[in-house]
C-alpha cells in the first residue's frame, strides 16, 4: 500500500487529511476568539470606558456588519473562484487576511475599541469567506461515496483542535504565572496571538496536499468579477429549477436555525440561572471534546446507514435537548445539555455539508457552497424571534425553549422530500 492510500477515484488520504486539518486550524478562531474571549475582553478592556449597554451595541453592530457583508460576498466570491478555478488561491488570501487581523489584536491597547472591532470584523468576514472556498474543495479531495466520512473528519478535527487550544488559553488566563505572563489581561492578548499562529501553521497541509481540478482562465480581475456575477445569476436560476437543491437549502435553513438558536440560548439560559463563567467555559470545552469523536462517529454511521437518516437522528436529539432545557435547574443538568449538543452538533453540520455536495454539479461547487454558506448566515433569525414571541405570549422563558422544536420538525419534514439520487440524475 502506498502512503497515499488512493481511493477508487484516485483521491488520496493524504489530501483528505490535509483538507480536514484546515478545520483543526480555523476552529481556534471560532472557539477562543468568537465564543470565548473576544466578547468579554471587548467589554472589560477595549470598551471599558463605556456603559455596558453601549459596548453591547458596539459588539452587536460589528457582528451584524460582518454577517451582512458575508451574506452578499459569499455567493459572489464562490462564483468568481469557480470561474477561474481559483478556490485554493481564494482560500489562501482569505486565510492570510484573517490570520493577520487576529494577530493584530495582540497590539491593540486598552480603550481602542474601534480598532479592536475593526480587526474583529475583518477577521470574521475573512473566516466565513474562507469557509466557502474550503467547503467547496470537498469535491476535489473525495468521491461522493466518501463525502460523509471526509466531511465528518473535518468537523471532528475542528472540535478537537478548537478545544485543545481553548483549553490551553483558558489555563493561561487562570494561571498566567505558569506561562510567564504578568496577569490575565496579558494572557488574553497572547491567546489571540496563539490563535493566529495556530491557524497559519495548521493551514499549510491543505495547500501542500490538495489539488484543485480544472485550469485557471487567467482572466483580468475585472472580467473575472463581471463574469462571476453573471455565472452567479445563472446558478441562482439553476437552483430554482433544481427542486432537490432548493428544497434542501430551505430545510437546512430551518433546522440549522434551530441548531444555532440552541447554541446561543444554552449560554444565555445558563447565565440567567446564575451559573458562573467557569461553568459555561467548562460546558463549552465539554462540547468541543465530545464533538470530536461524535462527529467522526456520525460519518461512520452515515456510511453504514444513510446520510439523511443520520441527520434525522441528530434533529431528534436536538428536539430532546429543547425539552430538557425546559426542566433545567442545576449545573449538572446544564452539563448534560452540553454533552448532548456535543454528540450531535458536528454530525448534523458535517453531514449537511456532505449531503449538499451530492446534490450539486462539481464544476460549480464554489457558487453553490457560497449560497449554502449564505443560508447558514441567515440562520438564528427565526429561532430568536420564535423564542421571544413565545416568551412574551406565555410569560415563561422555559416555555419559549420548547418553541424551537418547531424548526427541527419543519426542517426534518422538508428534508424527507429531498432525493439525492434524483438530484444527480438531473445534474
Amino acid at each position: 500500500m502506498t502512503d497515499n492510500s488512493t481511493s477508487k477515484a484516485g483521491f488520496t488520504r493524504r489530501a483528505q487529511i490535509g483538507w480536514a486539518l484546515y478545520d483543526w486550524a480555523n476552529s481556534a478562531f471560532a472557539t477562543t476568539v468568537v465564543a470565548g474571549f473576544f466578547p468579554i475582553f471587548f467589554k472589560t478592556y477595549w470598551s471599558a470606558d463605556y456603559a455596558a449597554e453601549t459596548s453591547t451595541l458596539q459588539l452587536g453592530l460589528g457582528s451584524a456588519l460582518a454577517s451582512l457583508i458575508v451574506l452578499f460576498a459569499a455567493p459572489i466570491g464562490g462564483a468568481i473562484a469557480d470561474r477561474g478555478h481559483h478556490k485554493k488561491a481564494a482560500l489562501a488570501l482569505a486565510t492570510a487576511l484573517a490570520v493577520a487581523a487576529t494577530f493584530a489584536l495582540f497590539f491593540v491597547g486598552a480603550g481602542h475599541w474601534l480598532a479592536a472591532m475593526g480587526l474583529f470584523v475583518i477577521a470574521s468576514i475573512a473566516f466565513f469567506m474562507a469557509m466557502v472556498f474550503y467547503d467547496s474543495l470537498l469535491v476535489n479531495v473525495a468521491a461522493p461515496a466518501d463525502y460523509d466520512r471526509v466531511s465528518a473528519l473535518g468537523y471532528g478535527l475542528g472540535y478537537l483542535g478548537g478545544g485543545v487550544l481553548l483549553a490551553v488559553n483558558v489555563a493561561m488566563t487562570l494561571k498566567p504565572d505558569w506561562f510567564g505572563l504578568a496577569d490575565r489581561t496579558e494572557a488574553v492578548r497572547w491567546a489571540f496571538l496563539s490563535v493566529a499562529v495556530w491557524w497559519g501553521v495548521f493551514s499549510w497541509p491543505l495547500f501542500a496536499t490538495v489539488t484543485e481540478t480544472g485550469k485557471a482562465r487567467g482572466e483580468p480581475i475585472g472580467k473575472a468579477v463581471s463574469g462571476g456575477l453573471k455565472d452567479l445569476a445563472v446558478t441562482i436560476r439553476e437552483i430554482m429549477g433544481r427542486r432537490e437543491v432548493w428544497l434542501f437549502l430551505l430545510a437546512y435553513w430551518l433546522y440549522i436555525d434551530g441548531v444555532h438558536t440552541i447554541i446561543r440560548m444554552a449560554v444565555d439560559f445558563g447565565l440567567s440561572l446564575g451559573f458562573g463563567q467557569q461553568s459555561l467555559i467548562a460546558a463549552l470545552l465539554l462540547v468541543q471534546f465530545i464533538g470530536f469523536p461524535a462527529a467522526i462517529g456520525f460519518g461512520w454511521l452515515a456510511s453504514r446507514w444513510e446520510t439523511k437518516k443520520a441527520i434525522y437522528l441528530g434533529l431528534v436529539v436536538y428536539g430532546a435537548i429543547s425539552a430538557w432545557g425546559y426542566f433545567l435547574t442545576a449545573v449538572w443538568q446544564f452539563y448534560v445539555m452540553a454533552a448532548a449538543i456535543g454528540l450531535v452538533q458536528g454530525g448534523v453540520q458535517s453531514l449537511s455539508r456532505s449531503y449538499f455536495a451530492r446534490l450539486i454539479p462539481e464544476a460549480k461547487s464554489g457558487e453553490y457552497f457560497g449560497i449554502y454558506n449564505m443560508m447558514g448566515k441567515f440562520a438564528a433569525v427565526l429561532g430568536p424571534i420564535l423564542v421571544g414571541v413565545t416568551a412574551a405570549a406565555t410569560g415563561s422563558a422555559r416555555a419559549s425553549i420548547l418553541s424551537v422544536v418547531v424548526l427541527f420538525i419543519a426542517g426534518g419534514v422538508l428534508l424527507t422530500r429531498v432525493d439525492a439520487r434524483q438530484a444527480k440524475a438531473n445534474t
Side-chain angles (χ1 to χ4, degrees), residues 94-142:
T95 300
L97 183 60
V99 167
T102 305
F103 188 90
L105 286 172
F106 174 84
F107 301 99
V108 180
H112 295 281
W113 71 270
L114 188 58
M117 180 53 65
L119 290 170
F120 178 71
V121 168
I122 292 171
S124 297
I125 293 171
F127 169 82
F128 286 112
M129 290 301 297
M131 288 303 299
V132 173
F133 309 122
Y134 167 65
D135 287 348
S136 67
L137 284 170
L138 174 61
V139 302
N140 292 124
V141 298

Side-chain angles (χ1 to χ4, degrees), residues 5-316:
S5 302
T6 56
S7 67
K8 292 180 180 179
F11 299 106
T12 67
R13 290 198 179 164
R14 181 169 173 265
Q16 291 170 354
I17 293 172
W19 177 86
L21 277 172
Y22 189 82
D23 250 317
W24 168 287
N26 77 343
S27 290
F29 178 79
T31 54
T32 290
V33 179
V34 177
F37 294 142
F38 186 85
I40 298 173
F41 202 62
F42 182 81
K43 280 179 169 290
T44 60
Y45 185 71
W46 287 313
S47 189
D49 296 335
Y50 294 87
E53 295 80 6
T54 302
S55 61
T56 297
L57 176 62
Q58 293 166 344
L59 187 60
L61 289 176
S63 298
L65 176 62
S67 296
L68 185 62
I69 292 174
V70 171
L71 281 176
F72 292 100
I76 295 173
I80 294 171
D82 269 348
R83 184 173 179 82
H85 299 291
H86 290 311
K87 290 192 284 285
K88 270 183 66 175
L91 176 59
L93 178 61
T95 300
L97 183 60
V99 167
T102 305
F103 188 90
L105 286 172
F106 174 84
F107 301 99
V108 180
H112 295 281
W113 71 270
L114 188 58
M117 180 53 65
L119 290 170
F120 178 71
V121 168
I122 292 171
S124 297
I125 293 171
F127 169 82
F128 286 112
M129 290 301 297
M131 288 303 299
V132 173
F133 309 122
Y134 167 65
D135 287 348
S136 67
L137 284 170
L138 174 61
V139 302
N140 292 124
V141 298
D146 295 324
Y147 285 168
D148 294 328
R149 176 181 59 81
V150 177
S151 181
L153 176 63
Y155 267 100
L157 289 178
Y159 278 107
L160 182 60
V164 166
L165 188 59
L166 177 61
V168 172
N169 293 149
V170 169
M172 288 167 57
T173 61
L174 295 177
K175 298 291 183 180
D177 55 303
W178 290 3
F179 297 86
L181 302 173
D183 52 28
R184 183 176 180 275
T185 296
E186 187 178 2
V188 174
R189 292 175 60 236
W190 276 96
F192 294 134
L193 193 64
S194 71
V195 169
V197 173
W198 181 281
W199 196 348
V201 169
F202 289 110
S203 293
W204 277 111
L206 182 149
F207 299 110
T209 61
V210 175
T211 300
E212 185 176 355
T213 56
K215 289 185 177 181
R217 298 189 186 184
E219 295 178 327
I221 185 63
K223 187 176 181 181
V225 171
S226 62
L229 288 172
K230 292 178 182 177
D231 290 346
L232 177 60
V234 171
T235 297
I236 291 175
R237 288 196 296 270
E238 284 182 4
I239 288 176
M240 298 311 297
R242 294 179 185 271
R243 177 181 177 276
E244 313 303 320
V245 175
W246 66 257
L247 263 180
F248 175 82
L249 287 173
L250 182 57
Y252 172 73
W253 176 54
L254 289 169
Y255 70 69
I256 209 66
D257 194 306
V259 169
H260 290 172
T261 301
I262 287 291
I263 295 170
R264 297 182 184 186
M265 181 178 62
V267 174
D268 184 71
F269 195 53
L271 287 171
S272 70
L273 292 178
F275 301 153
Q277 288 186 10
Q278 289 189 359
S279 296
L280 297 178
I281 291 175
L284 180 59
L285 287 171
L286 190 63
V287 170
Q288 294 298 126
F289 288 113
I290 291 179
F292 163 59
I296 294 176
F298 259 84
W300 175 87
L301 179 64
S303 67
R304 285 158 178 76
W305 196 14
E306 186 181 325
T307 306
K308 277 173 57 174
K309 288 181 179 179
I311 295 175
Y312 294 146
L313 174 62
L315 298 183
V316 168

Side-chain angles (χ1 to χ4, degrees), residues 373-391:
N373 279 275
M374 181 183 72
M375 299 300 289
K377 290 304 293 176
F378 268 125
V381 173
L382 288 179
I385 294 174
L386 195 59
V387 167
V389 170
T390 304

